[in-house]
Amino acid sequence: MPASGPPIQRAGPPGRTDPVHSDLDELAIVIVNWNTAALLHACLSSLIVPGGGGPVIYVVDNGSTDVSAEMVAGGFPSVSLI
């Protein structure tokens, strides 16, 4: 038996009419990294929204000895490096 009542609709941020991107402001992504700078760069490049906005991204680096931390800090200023 179907539920009664009006359908549930998710509300995006005020003034936002794009239903696809409105949920990105509510999303946080955590990436755990260890010595995979090239893969991490590709991953972050695919997640960054041009023009700002988008998900909050955290990279948790597990003591990498490659250039992972430097690459994140220098190339992705909107990403939080832990």
Side-chain angles (χ1 to χ4, degrees), residues 44-57:
L44 292 173
S45 295
S46 72
L47 295 171
I48 299 297
V49 176
V56 175
I57 303 172

Side-chain angles (χ1 to χ4, degrees), residues 10-26 49 52-54:
R10 297 187 65 187
R16 203 97 186 255
T17 58
D18 182 357
V20 174
H21 293 105
S22 64
D23 291 339
L24 288 178
D25 293 332
E26 300 172 13
V49 176

